[in-house]
Amino acid sequence: MKTKRPLLYFFCVLIGLALPACAQQHKKNTQEQQTPKSMDSTQTSPKASAKPAENDLDKMLSELKESMITYMKSAEPPYTMDDIDSCEKILKVYLVDINASKNKEQGMEIVKATVINLNALNVKTEESLIETSEREQIAEIIILASSRKGYNTVDEDITEEWREW
């Protein structure tokens, strides 16, 4: 188990909360400037709004990986770049599989398998790969992707039953 880093953790959480909000506001401001005044948000096509929704999960995954790499470089935890890549691969496979799933039962089996794979990876890394910040990011990715299929709400933690991290 890693040594507690409360001040570093506090700043990481603070930055992690502030940056997405700032980026989202910037994106909103940019979109408002580019949208013709005669077109409101109810007039956008479903295809136009579906593309960013797919990309935000990829962005979340990328931010998770970057956070793990940054920490690895500064603190020398017992995990390696291969472990980070394995985590990313597990989550990428999850995103593909959950999108291809046909019903909630199949979707929950995919969630279960993903969480169990992440549990095993975290044990391999002496439970250092997935800590509080990473747990929140990973759970959010899993929950959001599944909720988009209609299998749960975004407030429902569907990972908790199997999660050991």
Side-chain angles (χ1 to χ4, degrees):
M1 183 92 49
K2 286 193 272 192
T3 312
K4 300 292 181 189
R5 307 165 309 277
L7 190 57
L8 176 62
Y9 174 74
F10 172 76
F11 285 116
C12 290
V13 169
L14 186 62
I15 290 169
L17 293 173
L19 287 178
C22 292
Q24 186 175 14
Q25 184 61 42
H26 174 73
K27 182 177 179 181
K28 181 179 176 185
N29 291 344
T30 303
Q31 287 174 338
E32 287 174 358
Q33 292 172 355
Q34 294 174 350
T35 303
K37 299 289 182 199
S38 62
M39 178 184 253
D40 67 11
S41 62
T42 60
Q43 295 173 319
T44 60
S45 71
K47 287 184 180 182
S49 62
K51 189 74 170 166
E54 295 166 9
N55 290 341
D56 65 344
L57 288 168
D58 292 334
K59 182 179 178 192
M60 291 167 68
L61 184 53
S62 177
E63 289 170 354
L64 169 67
K65 182 177 181 178
E66 188 59 38
S67 171
M68 290 174 164
I69 292 169
T70 300
Y71 180 74
M72 184 179 71
K73 288 178 179 177
S74 66
E76 300 178 21
Y79 62 82
T80 66
M81 192 61 205
D82 287 342
D83 297 319
I84 295 171
D85 290 341
S86 292
C87 182
E88 178 185 36
K89 182 179 179 183
I90 290 168
L91 290 170
K92 282 184 174 184
V93 167
Y94 167 76
L95 292 174
V96 169
D97 290 350
I98 200 73
N99 281 332
S101 65
K102 302 296 183 201
N103 56 51
K104 183 176 180 174
E105 183 179 334
Q106 184 183 27
M108 291 304 103
E109 285 301 316
I110 294 166
V111 170
K112 179 180 178 180
T114 300
V115 172
I116 289 171
N117 287 336
L118 289 167
N119 288 344
L121 177 61
N122 201 42
V123 167
K124 175 185 176 278
T125 65
E126 301 174 27
E127 298 182 359
S128 65
L129 184 67
I130 305 172
E131 288 202 4
T132 305
S133 175
E134 295 81 12
R135 178 185 69 231
E136 298 303 320
Q137 290 174 290
I138 291 169
E140 184 178 9
I141 290 167
I142 292 171
I143 293 166
L144 184 57
S146 181
S147 73
R148 289 183 177 166
K149 293 290 286 189
Y151 302 155
N152 56 282
T153 67
V154 293
D155 298 326
E156 183 181 358
D157 187 350
I158 56 173
T159 68
E160 190 173 25
E161 183 176 346
W162 309 284
R163 180 168 33 92
E164 296 173 2
W165 28 272

